[in-house]
């Protein structure tokens, strides 16, 4: 039987495009790299674009192929690289697609730029706009399609199932013409479609069956080289399409024993009929007795992994919860905090306040006096304090003040905000003294803390990594500390700002690094101040500007133990035993513990209760959860444990017995 690469070559030689479909662990990326290397050998002058979902994936492909004819990049970078030169057309597209942007806004001296934020009237577009504008330009300007076709011979899309419909339409409607001598290849697995904007399963079937000028031919990759037999059997049960996997025939594959037989592996479903077992009960049980969550491979990647659904759960277990709550639960300047409440209120009143010149306290006093000239903000807060003993909730105390001063509740904090303000009174006093306009510019969100995985491609990393300037700087500090502790001195010298000019400078740097490392047992404040003042890593203009305009956030972060920053760094860099189930797609580990429950998570469209109880009243939740579970369960090379925390219904247990060889009630055994 011809190899997948041979089948793909034959398909392209016949004038058609292809889709390589393969289940988890089948080696799709390996086939992609083999194909690129074959093309390089047979057509050394050909130009290949490889579009990936992340910078990390693009870097990996670039490193493994090492070819000047290949340009691997993210989807957004690929599109931007092919439209950024047409500035006049970009301006026309922005104006056409956005009613609130005019020709006057985008004057001739404005250059359209792609950044991690958007400000359309200033000519700055972000991720969503790149795709929207690219689709518009390729549709409206056939010449752009021809230019791209002349530049490239092949476009390969890795993880196609996560690619947006708009991008697929650009490829298969605008570029899929007989007049454009270009071959397009898709690599992926519809069962691993876990993002809202991905094309998924149904749309790709429509592509295969569509009457295009060039056909899309499907090539299947059915051999699994990662998972032991028990996990392959589970994966085949979970799949809802016709693709069923068999074990690899290659004796070099991770799932094959030295004698050529397939590894059996173990899959276990654990639950508590009393709902009283926690993660620690699992990791210290006999089921994980052979697992060491502190074992790492040569690249520093954990051999065993615990997979959760939410980052906030990981923050508690991985011990960076204080930092996480600063960025996600701040009730003063956070997304749902008091500053937003005041901003929203100002939109409802007819009076115009000069908010640019007021501190927060000055503004609040003026707003309060509109309801009662004898009150100011602090007196209003004192009224709530006086009412507190008379009621069982803070909100009821606030409602009592409202009855005394009707309308004032629109300016007062809610009960949750009030509690946060009282618990952090010194921080709130700082906020009261700050210019209101500065407070409105503070944006806190988990992406500003966690961001995206690190990329060696500094240009794309700067644009796509959403961490704020302070966290990025602290991550650079921790990277330097890690390099020093690992004795990777050559790389360290390239990263630090301290320059070695004479021999004794090495001794000085060593002393400075020793001092920096000693501060890691203290608060972030001391590490931050010393890293910059010692000259090890100086603030650039972005960091300086951010720190200057974010006193409130800086004060909060400075109070946190630096150990939390280390834990956060290890987590985001993949050096922790914890990950989200979304975050491990494409990765593999020796052992995996998947933690699930019956929570309905709206922002992710995930609910395991839907999956295990067969609830299909919301098909989106069912399919998304099925795909995510498939991804999580197919990561191990040895053993898999699924732990259902909390209450577990009889329907769930019945379904678990269909899928798992071992289903165990932790309350019924002697561990």
């Amino acid at each position: 039987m011809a190899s997948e690469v041979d089948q793909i070559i034959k398909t392209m030689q016949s004038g058609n495009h292809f889709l390589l479909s393969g289940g988890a662990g089948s080696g799709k990326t390996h086939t992609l790299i083999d194909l690129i290397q074959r093309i390089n050998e047979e057509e050394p002058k050909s130009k290949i674009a490889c579009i990936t979902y992340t910078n990390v994936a693009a870097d990996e492909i670039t490193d493994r192929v090492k070819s000047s004819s290949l340009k691997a990049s993210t989807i957004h970078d690929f599109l931007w690289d092919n439209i950024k030169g047409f500035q006049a057309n970009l301006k026309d597209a922005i104006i056409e697609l956005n009613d609130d942007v005019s020709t006057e806004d985008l004057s001739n001296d404005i250059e359209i730029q792609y950044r991690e934020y958007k400000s359309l009237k200033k000519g700055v577009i972000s991720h969503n706009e790149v795709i929207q504008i690219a689709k518009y330009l390729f549709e409206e300007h056939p010449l752009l399609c021809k230019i791209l076709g002349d530049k490239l011979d092949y476009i390969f899309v890795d993880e196609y199932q996560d690619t947006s419909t708009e991008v697929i339409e650009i490829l298969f409607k605008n570029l899929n013409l007989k007049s454009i001598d270009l071959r397009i290849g898709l690599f992926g697995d519809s069962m691993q479609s876990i993002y809202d904007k991905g094309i998924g399963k149904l749309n790709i079937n429509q592509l295969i069956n569509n009457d295009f000028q060039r056909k899309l031919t499907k090539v299947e990759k059915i051999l699994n080289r990662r998972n032991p037999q028990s996990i392959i059997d589970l994966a085949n049960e979970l799949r809802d399409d016709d693709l069923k996997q068999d074990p690899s025939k290659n004796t070099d594959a991770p799932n094959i024993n030295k004698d050529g037989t397939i590894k059996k592996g173990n899959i276990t479903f654990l639950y508590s009929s009393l709902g009283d077992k926690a993660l620690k009960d699992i990791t210290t049980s006999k089921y994980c007795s052979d697992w060491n969550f502190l074992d790492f491979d040569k690249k520093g990647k954990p051999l065993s992994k615990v997979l959760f659904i939410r980052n906030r759960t990981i923050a508690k277990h991985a011990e960076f919860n204080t930092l996480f709550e600063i960025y996600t639960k701040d009730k003063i300047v956070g997304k749902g905090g008091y500053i937003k409440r005041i901003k929203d209120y100002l939109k409802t009143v007819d009076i115009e306040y000069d908010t640019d010149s007021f501190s927060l306290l000055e503004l609040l006093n003026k707003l309060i006096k509109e309801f009662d000239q004898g009150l100011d903000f602090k007196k209003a807060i004192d009224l709530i304090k006086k009412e507190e003993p008379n009621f069982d909730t803070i909100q009821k105390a606030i409602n009592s003040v409202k009855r005394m001063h009707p309308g004032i509740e629109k300016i007062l904090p809610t009960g949750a905000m009030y509690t946060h303000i009282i618990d952090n009174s010194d921080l709130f006093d700082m906020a009261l003294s700050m210019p209101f306009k500065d407070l409105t510019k503070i944006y806190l969100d988990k992406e500003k803390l966690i961001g995206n995985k690190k990329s060696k491609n500094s240009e794309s990393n700067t644009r796509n990594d959403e961490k704020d300037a302070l966290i990025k700087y602290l991550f650079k500090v921790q990277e330097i500390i890690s390099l020093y502790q690992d004795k990777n001195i050559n790389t360290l010298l390239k990263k630090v700002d301290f320059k070695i000019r004479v021999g004794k400078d090495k001794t000085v740097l060593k002393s400075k690094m020793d001092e920096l490392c000693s501060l890691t047992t203290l608060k972030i404040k001391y590490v931050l101040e010393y890293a910059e003042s010692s000259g090890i890593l100086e603030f650039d203009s972005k960091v300086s500007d951010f720190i200057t305009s974010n006193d409130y956030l800086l004060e909060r972060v400075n109070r946190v133990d630096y150990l939390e920053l280390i834990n956060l760094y290890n987590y985001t860099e993949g050096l922790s035993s914890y990950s989200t189930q979304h975050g491990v797609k494409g990765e593999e580990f020796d052992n995996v513990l998947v933690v699930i429950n019956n929570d309905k998570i709206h922002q992710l469209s995930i609910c395991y209760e839907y999956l295990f109880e067969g609830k299909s009243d919301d098909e989106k939740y069912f399919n998304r959860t099925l795909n995510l579970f498939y991804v999580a369960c197919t990561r191990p090379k040895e053993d898999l444990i699924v732990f259902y925390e909390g209450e577990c219904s009889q329907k769930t247990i019945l379904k678990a017995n269909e899928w798992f060889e071992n289903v165990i009630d932790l309350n019924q055994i002697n561990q």
Side-chain angles (χ1 to χ4, degrees):
M1 181 178 176
S3 71
E4 291 88 8
V5 171
D6 290 331
Q7 295 177 58
I8 289 169
I9 294 290
K10 184 177 180 180
T11 296
M12 293 192 297
Q13 287 175 342
S14 67
N16 293 321
H17 308 303
F18 70 90
L19 182 155
L20 180 78
S21 176
S26 60
K28 296 180 290 296
T29 302
H30 185 76
T31 300
L32 167 61
I33 290 168
D34 282 352
L35 174 63
I36 294 171
Q37 290 173 334
R38 174 83 74 85
I39 293 172
N40 283 336
E41 292 170 3
E42 298 179 359
E43 306 170 39
K45 294 184 178 180
S46 64
K47 296 297 180 183
I48 306 168
C50 185
I51 306 174
T52 68
Y53 194 73
T54 66
N55 291 314
V56 174
D59 291 340
E60 180 185 356
I61 291 168
T62 299
D63 287 347
R64 289 172 66 178
V65 173
K66 298 187 185 308
S67 168
S68 59
S69 65
L70 169 71
K71 177 65 183 295
S73 60
T74 65
I75 295 165
H76 295 84
D77 285 350
F78 170 78
L79 293 175
W80 177 244
D81 285 345
N82 283 287
I83 63 175
K84 65 183 179 183
F86 304 97
Q87 286 288 318
N89 301 107
L90 285 170
K91 292 176 183 178
D92 291 342
I94 292 173
I95 294 167
E96 181 66 27
L97 296 171
N98 298 276
D99 294 335
D100 58 341
V101 182
S102 65
T103 304
E104 290 73 25
D105 294 322
L106 302 180
S107 58
N108 290 332
D109 59 343
I110 287 184
E111 179 186 1
I112 307 302
Q113 300 179 62
Y114 170 32
R115 294 288 182 264
E116 64 183 49
Y117 64 94
K118 79 170 180 177
S119 181
L120 296 181
K121 292 186 178 182
K122 294 182 179 180
V124 179
I125 62 175
S126 187
H127 315 317
N128 291 338
E129 291 74 38
V130 165
I131 291 180
Q132 182 188 37
I133 291 170
K135 184 173 183 292
Y136 175 84
L137 292 179
F138 277 105
E139 287 176 347
E140 296 295 317
H141 301 282
L143 180 58
L144 180 59
C145 302
K146 187 177 187 308
I147 291 171
L148 180 57
D150 289 342
K151 284 169 56 177
L152 295 171
D153 300 292
Y154 301 94
I155 298 178
F156 299 144
V157 182
D158 196 20
E159 303 285 2
Y160 78 81
Q161 71 277 357
D162 294 327
T163 307
S164 69
T165 302
E166 291 86 350
V167 173
I168 295 296
E169 287 181 355
I170 291 172
L171 295 175
F172 287 95
K173 288 185 179 179
N174 305 119
L175 297 175
N176 188 20
L177 303 172
K178 292 282 188 183
S179 58
I180 299 177
D181 191 18
L182 176 69
R183 298 296 182 272
I184 301 169
L186 306 180
F187 294 76
D189 179 12
S190 62
M191 277 297 296
Q192 297 186 62
S193 175
I194 57 176
Y195 297 107
D196 273 332
K197 296 183 179 180
I199 187 170
K201 186 177 307 172
L202 296 177
N203 290 337
I204 207 67
N205 286 335
Q206 292 171 6
L207 276 180
I208 293 172
N209 297 324
N210 218 319
D211 187 23
F212 291 130
Q213 291 190 19
R214 296 185 190 274
K215 293 287 186 182
L216 180 64
T217 301
K218 191 173 184 179
V219 176
E220 287 194 338
K221 191 172 178 66
I222 63 171
L223 296 182
N224 183 313
R225 64 187 314 276
R226 174 196 301 152
N227 304 130
Q229 186 67 62
S230 58
I231 295 178
I232 293 176
D233 292 341
L234 172 63
N236 286 339
E237 284 288 324
L238 293 175
R239 293 196 72 95
D240 60 359
D241 59 9
D242 295 332
L243 192 152
K244 301 299 179 185
Q245 290 185 295
D246 294 320
S248 174
K249 310 296 185 187
N250 190 335
T251 55
D252 293 331
N255 59 356
I256 302 298
N257 293 312
K258 291 182 179 180
D259 62 1
T261 59
I262 178 72
K263 292 181 179 179
K264 184 179 185 304
N266 296 296
I267 62 171
T268 304
F269 184 92
L270 302 177
Y271 71 98
S272 166
S273 54
L274 300 179
D276 61 353
K277 299 298 182 182
L279 178 64
K280 187 176 181 181
D281 297 310
I282 310 303
T283 56
T284 58
S285 72
K286 63 182 180 182
Y287 304 104
C288 296
S289 60
D290 294 333
W291 302 16
N292 187 336
F293 293 98
L294 298 178
D295 279 350
F296 300 87
D297 64 16
K298 293 179 181 179
K299 295 182 179 180
K301 188 171 71 173
L303 298 180
S304 299
K305 204 81 166 179
V306 182
L307 307 184
F308 291 99
I309 305 173
R310 299 173 186 261
N311 280 300
R312 75 183 187 195
T313 310
I314 293 172
K316 294 176 183 177
H317 289 285
E319 298 182 353
F320 58 89
N321 197 50
T322 308
L323 279 172
F324 191 79
E325 291 202 344
I326 287 173
Y327 278 80
T328 60
K329 292 188 176 181
D330 189 292
K331 296 297 182 183
I332 298 174
V333 301
K335 288 170 71 173
Y338 186 49
I339 298 302
K340 183 178 185 302
R341 182 173 175 82
I342 298 303
K343 281 177 63 179
D344 291 344
Y345 172 73
L346 290 172
K347 295 175 184 177
T348 68
V349 297
D350 295 330
I351 303 172
E352 287 193 16
Y353 295 92
D354 184 13
T355 55
D356 285 354
S357 63
F358 291 154
S359 70
L360 173 59
L361 181 58
E362 289 171 336
L363 176 61
L364 292 174
N365 285 339
K366 287 185 177 294
L367 296 178
I368 290 284
K369 289 184 183 299
E370 294 294 332
F371 295 94
D372 190 325
Q373 284 294 321
L375 274 182
D376 60 22
F377 177 73
K378 290 188 176 180
K379 288 180 180 178
I381 293 296
D382 287 339
L383 288 177
I384 300 174
K385 290 180 181 178
K386 290 177 182 178
E387 292 296 315
E388 276 188 62
N390 303 321
F391 299 94
D392 57 356
T393 68
I394 298 296
Q395 192 59 55
K396 289 180 181 178
I398 293 172
N399 292 340
S400 177
V401 174
K402 172 180 108 174
R403 286 191 289 272
M404 292 185 281
H405 303 276
I408 199 174
E409 77 281 356
K410 298 174 185 176
I411 302 165
L412 293 177
T414 64
M417 293 173 189
Y418 173 86
T419 300
H420 185 83
I421 285 169
I422 298 302
D423 291 344
N424 299 275
S425 57
D426 56 336
L427 286 169
F428 188 62
D429 286 342
M430 177 191 292
L432 287 173
S433 67
M434 290 178 64
F436 178 71
K437 66 175 183 179
D438 287 352
L439 292 169
T440 62
K441 294 176 183 177
I442 297 175
Y443 181 71
L444 299 180
D445 182 82
K446 70 179 178 65
E447 299 304 328
K448 295 298 179 184
L449 178 73
I450 294 175
N452 299 322
K453 285 189 176 181
K454 182 180 177 182
S455 168
K456 286 172 283 186
N457 182 334
S458 59
E459 180 185 355
S460 60
N461 186 48
T462 299
R463 182 162 59 235
N464 293 324
D465 187 349
E466 297 180 3
K467 290 190 292 290
D468 67 33
L470 174 60
I471 297 299
K472 284 181 181 178
Y473 176 83
L474 288 169
F475 269 40
K476 288 180 180 179
V477 172
Q478 181 53 33
E479 181 184 18
I480 288 170
I481 291 172
S482 297
L483 290 170
Y484 182 70
Q485 292 174 335
D486 292 341
K487 296 182 170 52
N488 192 344
I489 305 304
N490 289 334
T491 305
L492 171 71
L493 293 175
K494 296 176 184 177
K495 299 282 185 178
V496 296
D497 289 327
F498 185 89
K499 301 304 179 188
I500 305 297
R501 295 182 174 87
V502 294
K504 67 178 182 179
D505 288 343
K506 293 182 180 180
T507 304
V508 174
L509 177 59
K510 181 181 184 304
S511 176
K512 288 177 180 288
M513 287 302 305
D514 287 339
E515 177 66 18
L516 181 63
C517 291
S518 72
L519 297 173
T520 59
T521 60
L522 305 177
K523 303 294 183 184
I524 287 175
K525 170 184 174 67
Y526 301 105
V527 176
L528 179 66
E529 290 176 350
Y530 185 79
E532 199 277 335
S533 64
S534 66
I536 292 175
L537 191 65
E538 297 171 358
F539 293 161
D540 61 23
S541 59
K542 287 183 180 179
V543 178
S544 296
D545 292 345
F546 185 88
I547 288 176
T548 301
S549 59
N550 285 272
D551 287 344
Y552 176 88
L553 175 60
L554 179 64
E555 181 62 27
R556 291 211 69 186
V557 171
N558 269 340
R559 298 180 181 189
V560 180
D561 291 340
Y562 188 79
L563 180 59
E564 285 210 14
L565 191 282
I566 296 175
N567 294 336
L568 171 67
Y569 176 87
N570 288 339
Y571 167 59
T572 60
E573 298 299 294
L575 305 176
S576 164
S577 298
Y578 303 101
S579 180
T580 60
Q581 293 166 26
H582 286 80
V584 293
K585 191 153 68 68
E587 296 193 54
E588 59 186 26
F589 310 93
D590 284 1
N591 308 299
V592 171
L593 168 57
V594 182
V595 182
I596 61 177
N597 53 47
N598 60 4
D599 289 349
K600 187 174 184 180
I601 306 174
H602 297 287
Q603 67 269 31
L604 298 176
S605 300
I606 297 297
C607 182
Y608 276 103
E609 185 179 34
Y610 275 58
L611 176 62
F612 277 83
E613 296 195 2
K615 295 181 180 179
S616 57
D617 53 314
D618 191 324
E619 191 174 348
K620 180 179 180 181
Y621 274 86
F622 183 89
N623 290 335
R624 182 67 55 78
T625 310
L626 172 63
N627 288 5
L628 185 63
F629 193 57
Y630 176 86
V631 167
C633 289
T634 52
R635 299 308 99 197
K637 294 185 288 184
E638 302 289 343
D639 295 340
L640 167 71
I641 294 175
V642 174
F643 170 47
Y644 200 105
E645 63 179 355
E647 296 182 9
C648 189
S649 69
Q650 285 302 309
K651 283 187 177 180
T652 295
I653 296 169
L654 287 172
K655 178 56 71 173
N657 275 292
E658 289 181 23
W659 287 341
F660 290 81
E661 57 192 30
N662 300 307
V663 178
I664 298 166
D665 179 359
L666 294 167
N667 295 116
Q668 300 296 319
I669 60 169
N670 181 11
Q671 298 184 58

